[in-house]
């Protein structure tokens, strides 16, 4: 167990987004991201920090600091200490966890042996890394990035490849929407998703207002859901509930 990776925090919390909103998870939040979405709700995770914060007891919000980058053994001990039995799964999040496929390849088999379910939250742009770790993943939650919402380039091509590789894993898509989102972009995304050959659940997530990012109104959300239901059978509108609960 020799590999290390930069980690922001390891803690127990309530999942606030997507299909598994409301379940208890252990969150392993990696540092660093290959894109920079303007609505990012964890901008601190994009930068390297000297310390990783590790919750000492599940849900009590008492943390100790470990020096970054953190080794496999220390991360493994931190996860096992947070009562995995009361949690639905371990959420690999960030930042972007697929920046560190070799670390995940070394780390995750120990948790699989423990019977811990592995949940991957990803921006869906690093298909090659997904291929390396997919056998160790149980659930894939992929963001479909719209340029008008992210302020970034169009990631349609890497998203297509990513969906193809995800194969028969449990897989769903979140799409963050802002007041700047346009119908035509959603239409293009829906065609890509529906042409993947899979029955995919789509979660439309209104952005939490921050800075110059505004949330879309309910009329827009209803219209976009109706638009999406012309392509997909299961489309749900769910905001970031952890923000409402003031859950980290």
């Amino acid at each position: 167990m020799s590999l290390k990776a930069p980690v922001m925090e390891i803690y127990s919390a309530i999942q606030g987004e997507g299909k598994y909103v409301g379940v208890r998870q252990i969150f392993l939040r990696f540092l660093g991201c290959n894109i920079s979405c303007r609505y990012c709700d964890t901008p601190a995770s994009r930068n390297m920090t000297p310390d990783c914060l590790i919750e000492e007891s599940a849900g009590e919000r008492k943390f100790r600091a470990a020096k970054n980058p953190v080794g496999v053994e220390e991360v493994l001990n931190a996860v096992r200490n947070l009562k995995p039995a009361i949690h639905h799964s371990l959420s690999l999040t960030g930042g972007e966890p697929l920046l560190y496929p070799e670390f995940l390849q070394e780390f995750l088999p120990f948790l699989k042996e423990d019977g811990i379910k592995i949940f991957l939250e990803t921006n869906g742009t690093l298909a090659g890394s997904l291929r390396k770790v997919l056998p160790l993943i149980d659930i894939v939650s992929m963001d479909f990035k719209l340029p008008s919402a992210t302020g970034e380039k169009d990631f349609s091509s890497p998203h297509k490849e990513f969906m193809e590789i995800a194969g028969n894993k449990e897989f769903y898509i979140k799409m963050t929407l802002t007041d700047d989102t346009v119908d035509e972009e959603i239409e293009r995304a829906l065609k890509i998703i529906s042409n993947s050959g899979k029955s995919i659940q789509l979660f439309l997530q209104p952005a939490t207002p921050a800075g110059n990012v505004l949330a879309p109104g309910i009329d827009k959300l209803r219209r976009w859901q109706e638009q999406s239901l012309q392509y997909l059978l299961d489309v749900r509108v769910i905001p970031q509930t952890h923000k409402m609960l003031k859950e980290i």
Side-chain angles (χ1 to χ4, degrees):
M1 294 193 288
S2 57
L3 292 182
K4 295 184 177 183
V7 176
M8 180 176 178
E9 53 195 353
I10 304 170
Y11 63 100
S12 167
I14 298 168
Q15 173 60 250
E17 301 178 352
K19 180 177 180 178
Y20 287 97
V21 64
V23 305
R24 191 72 170 267
Q25 290 183 315
I26 297 172
F27 288 82
L28 171 53
R29 186 178 303 283
F30 288 90
L31 288 163
C33 192
N34 58 314
I35 61 178
S36 182
C37 299
R38 67 190 185 99
Y39 59 73
C40 180
D41 65 344
T42 53
S45 67
R46 294 201 294 256
N47 303 313
M48 296 298 133
T49 59
D51 293 324
C52 165
L53 296 180
I54 298 175
E55 191 174 27
E56 294 183 316
S57 184
E60 292 189 4
R61 294 300 179 264
K62 295 179 181 178
F63 293 86
R64 64 178 176 86
K67 293 298 181 184
N68 267 319
V70 186
V72 167
E73 187 170 4
E74 182 147 30
V75 176
L76 185 62
N77 290 338
V79 171
R80 285 172 170 167
N81 190 53
L82 289 175
K83 302 178 183 176
I86 69 168
H87 293 82
H88 172 272
S89 49
L90 170 72
S91 174
L92 307 173
T93 187
E96 175 50 57
L98 288 180
L99 290 174
Y100 311 103
E102 289 78 17
F103 181 86
L104 294 175
Q105 284 177 310
E106 183 171 342
F107 166 65
L108 292 179
F110 295 101
L111 296 184
K112 298 295 288 182
E113 289 176 6
D114 291 349
I116 298 173
K117 193 177 294 186
I118 308 300
F119 178 98
L120 173 66
E121 296 190 82
T122 174
N123 61 33
T125 65
L126 300 175
S129 293
L130 177 68
R131 196 189 303 275
K132 292 178 181 179
V133 303
L134 192 62
L136 301 168
I137 304 297
D138 297 294
I139 303 165
V140 179
S141 170
M142 185 195 106
D143 288 350
F144 198 109
K145 303 293 189 180
L146 302 179
S148 62
T150 64
E152 286 272 340
K153 65 179 184 180
D154 186 348
F155 290 104
S156 295
S157 181
H159 284 338
K160 285 181 190 176
E161 184 182 4
F162 197 94
M163 286 189 283
E164 290 171 1
I165 292 171
N168 295 321
K169 292 290 180 176
E170 183 178 347
F171 176 83
Y172 66 88
I173 290 175
K174 292 184 300 176
M175 189 184 296
T176 299
L177 308 171
T178 73
D179 196 48
D180 296 320
T181 300
V182 294
D183 295 8
E184 292 77 14
E185 266 190 336
I186 295 179
E187 188 80 10
R188 287 197 297 271
L190 290 169
K191 288 178 180 178
I192 292 169
I193 296 168
S194 62
N195 287 335
S196 68
K198 303 181 181 68
S199 179
I200 293 176
Q201 285 180 298
L202 174 62
F203 295 85
L204 303 179
Q205 183 170 292
T208 300
N212 64 348
V213 176
L214 300 177
I218 187 61
D219 290 341
K220 285 185 176 181
L221 291 170
R222 279 197 295 260
R223 187 177 78 245
W224 290 333
Q225 185 182 43
E226 183 175 344
Q227 179 184 7
S228 301
L229 285 166
Q230 295 176 35
Y231 290 89
L232 302 167
L233 294 175
D234 193 348
V235 181
R236 309 181 193 187
V237 177
I238 301 180
Q240 291 181 300
T241 62
H242 58 291
K243 296 291 186 177
M244 303 173 191
L245 296 172
K246 295 181 169 48
E247 173 74 292
I248 68 168

